[in-house]
């Protein structure tokens, strides 16, 4: 029997926090002293205002109010013959806010600009005026700052700046030069690039006329911040399958993702486990093979049924009405105070 290798010295490997701890941090996040408005409520109100008025200065003139936010398919899945993974797969492993910030910018652009129009990022890190129509970055982003309230906004600002630098490296934004500091770049001068950009092709972002469609409530109810990277990735992959097969999705049979399809998205195998959480939170419904054990995942008499083409893949249906519920309190309920329906879903997750 070989000896067990000693644990190498140095920094211990980080462990993933429990799912409830992730949501609890968002639930308790606040920029003020105890008793102040929770950050998730403040951000939700600001994004709802952005959707309603599109950044119009008077705060009264209706904005574009899109029911669906469109995402170019090449952001989600790989083009045939391409030698690089789609941007979504590249952003899933990143820590912090890059994926959320990229999606937030798509929502922001489509609330303010029409199909085919070039979009600008007018958001800064400090409010230009008390009632500015375009809020600062810190007021439209929800994150775990885990800091004393006097530092929470500043820490979130640093998280956003780091996320913008990651998006710049991934060719999803262009950061302009800082005119006052030669050799530096100004994070208040952001040009959004197409979400389908590659290292070779980096066109400026224009609002698409078609593509993968996501309910605007995914943003205004803060699911974009409450879900983890892997959960967001699977949700967008299923949204892409829905866009490709709307009749199958909408008639109740649902869409499925088998190994052939998984390669198009470029995720690691463990990313697909995010579908379980989506089902548990009620964001998607799933229909298992009737012969599959919901607890172990095994299929009865798999070999003979496979030969007869009787093995059915798991099918999913996105439940858009659930996205209308505030994400952070909903996940908190499911994890900490589940209803009978929540418990039923958990048993079959």
């Amino acid at each position: 029997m070989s000896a067990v290798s000693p644990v190498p010295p140095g920094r211990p490997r980080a462990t993933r926090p429990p799912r409830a701890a992730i949501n609890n941090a968002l639930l308790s996040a606040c920029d003020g002293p105890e008793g102040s408005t929770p950050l998730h409520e403040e951000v939700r109100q600001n994004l709802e205002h952005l959707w309603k008025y599109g950044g119009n200065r008077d705060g009264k003139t209706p904005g574009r109010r899109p029911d669906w936010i469109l995402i170019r398919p090449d952001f989600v899945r790989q083009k045939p013959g391409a030698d690089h993974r789609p941007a979504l797969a590249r952003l899933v492993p990143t820590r912090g806010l890059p994926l959320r910030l990229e999606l937030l910018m798509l929502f922001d652009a489509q609330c303010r600009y029409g199909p085919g129009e070039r979009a600008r990022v007018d958001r800064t890190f400090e409010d230009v005026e008390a009632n500015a129509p375009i809020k600062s970055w810190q007021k439209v982003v929800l994150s775990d700052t885990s800091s004393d309230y006097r530092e929470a906004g500043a820490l979130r600002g640093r998280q956003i700046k780091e996320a913008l630098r990651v998006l710049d490296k991934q060719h999803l934004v262009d950061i302009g030069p800082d005119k006052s500091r030669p050799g530096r770049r100004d994070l208040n001068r952001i040009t959004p690039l197409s979400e389908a950009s590659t290292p070779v092709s980096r066109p400026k972002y224009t609002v698409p006329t078609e593509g993968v469609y996501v309910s605007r409530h995914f943003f205004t109810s803060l699911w974009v911040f409450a879900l983890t990277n892997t959960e967001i990735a699977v949700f967008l992959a299923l949204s892409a399958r829905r866009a490709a097969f709307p009749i199958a999705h909408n008639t109740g049979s649902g869409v499925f993702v088998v190994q052939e399809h998984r390669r198009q998205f470029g995720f690691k195998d463990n990313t697909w486990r995010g579908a379980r959480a989506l089902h548990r939170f009620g964001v998607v419904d799933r229909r298992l093979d009737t012969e599959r054990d919901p607890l172990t995942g095994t299929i009865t008499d798999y070999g003979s049924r496979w030969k007869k083409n009787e093995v059915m893949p798991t099918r999913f249906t996105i439940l858009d009405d659930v996205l209308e519920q505030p994400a952070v309190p909903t996940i908190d309920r499911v994890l900490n105070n589940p209803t009978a329906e929540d418990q039923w879903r958990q048993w079959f997750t």
Side-chain angles (χ1 to χ4, degrees):
M1 181 176 180
S2 60
V4 177
S5 301
V7 176
R11 189 174 182 178
R13 179 178 296 179
T15 57
R16 179 180 298 177
R19 188 64 181 85
I22 295 173
N23 198 70
N24 288 344
L26 298 179
L27 190 68
S28 61
C30 186
D31 280 352
E34 186 175 353
S36 299
T37 302
L39 184 62
H40 70 89
E41 292 185 9
E42 183 179 356
V43 171
R44 183 179 60 81
Q45 292 168 5
N46 288 337
L47 291 184
E48 185 74 25
H49 189 277
L50 171 62
W51 179 79
K52 285 182 177 179
Y53 303 110
N56 291 324
R57 178 163 294 276
D58 61 6
K60 297 178 181 179
T61 304
R64 301 193 58 81
R65 301 186 180 187
D67 290 328
W68 303 97
I69 302 303
L70 299 175
I71 302 173
R72 289 178 170 84
D74 292 344
F75 174 78
V76 181
R77 63 173 184 258
Q78 189 170 358
K79 275 186 175 181
D83 57 0
H84 56 270
R85 293 189 301 164
L88 176 59
R90 302 198 305 270
L91 291 177
V92 169
T94 61
R95 299 181 61 183
L97 294 170
L99 175 55
R100 295 161 179 77
L101 208 61
E102 169 65 17
L103 295 174
L104 176 64
M105 286 192 286
L106 303 184
F107 170 75
D108 184 5
Q110 293 180 40
C111 286
R112 297 192 292 126
Y113 298 96
E117 293 182 343
R118 281 263 303 275
R120 299 193 310 272
V121 175
D122 300 320
R123 212 171 297 283
T124 61
F125 286 89
E126 300 292 337
D127 280 336
V128 179
E129 55 189 273
N131 296 312
I134 305 296
K135 300 293 184 182
S136 67
W137 282 111
Q138 287 96 323
K139 294 187 177 180
V140 294
V141 169
L142 175 64
S143 70
D144 169 21
T145 53
S146 299
S147 172
D148 182 85
Y149 76 88
R150 293 183 180 86
E151 300 295 331
L155 178 54
R156 193 161 62 258
R158 291 196 291 272
Q159 294 171 341
I160 295 168
K161 290 176 181 178
E162 179 56 33
L164 287 171
R165 294 187 183 101
V166 171
L167 295 179
D168 177 71
K169 292 179 181 178
Q170 294 294 338
H171 318 291
L172 295 169
V173 301
D174 181 64
I175 303 176
D178 190 331
K179 296 180 180 179
S180 63
R181 297 184 298 172
R184 301 283 189 92
R185 290 190 291 174
D186 186 352
L187 288 168
N188 282 324
R189 299 180 62 198
I190 301 294
T191 300
L193 303 180
S194 169
E195 70 272 43
S197 291
T198 70
V200 178
S201 174
R202 292 177 284 182
K204 290 182 171 59
Y205 179 80
T206 58
V207 176
T209 56
E210 59 184 5
V212 178
Y213 52 98
V214 176
S215 169
R216 66 94 169 177
H217 295 287
F218 182 77
F219 301 89
T220 54
S221 296
L222 303 194
W223 292 95
V224 67
F225 294 115
L227 297 179
T228 66
N229 277 12
T230 54
E231 291 160 4
I232 292 173
V234 174
F235 177 80
L236 293 180
L238 294 177
S239 297
R241 296 292 291 165
R242 169 170 69 171
F245 299 96
I247 296 177
H249 179 276
N250 297 334
T251 55
S253 60
V255 295
F256 58 88
V257 185
V258 294
Q259 195 63 36
E260 176 186 354
H261 309 135
R262 290 187 176 195
R263 287 193 291 269
Q264 299 174 355
F265 298 108
F267 304 150
K268 292 184 177 179
D269 287 343
N270 61 357
T271 299
W272 295 100
R273 296 173 187 166
R276 296 182 179 181
L278 295 177
H279 177 257
R280 185 177 181 184
F281 300 150
V283 174
V284 303
D285 257 343
R286 67 175 192 167
R287 296 172 57 194
L288 301 174
D289 187 297
T290 56
E291 301 296 326
R292 184 187 295 270
D293 186 320
L295 298 180
T296 66
T298 58
I299 298 178
T300 304
D301 200 14
Y302 178 85
S304 62
R305 293 186 67 237
W306 175 263
K307 292 178 181 179
K308 298 176 183 178
N309 295 320
E310 295 178 349
V311 177
M312 300 299 295
T314 302
R315 294 176 178 269
F316 297 92
T317 304
I318 297 172
L319 303 178
D320 292 304
D321 56 336
V322 173
L323 297 176
E324 298 179 23
Q325 302 174 15
V328 177
T330 297
I331 293 177
D332 177 66
R333 185 203 72 223
V334 171
L335 297 178
N336 297 315
N337 189 29
T339 64
E341 183 178 353
D342 295 334
Q343 291 176 340
W344 184 88
R345 282 183 172 274
Q346 181 177 349
W347 293 333
F348 291 95
T349 294

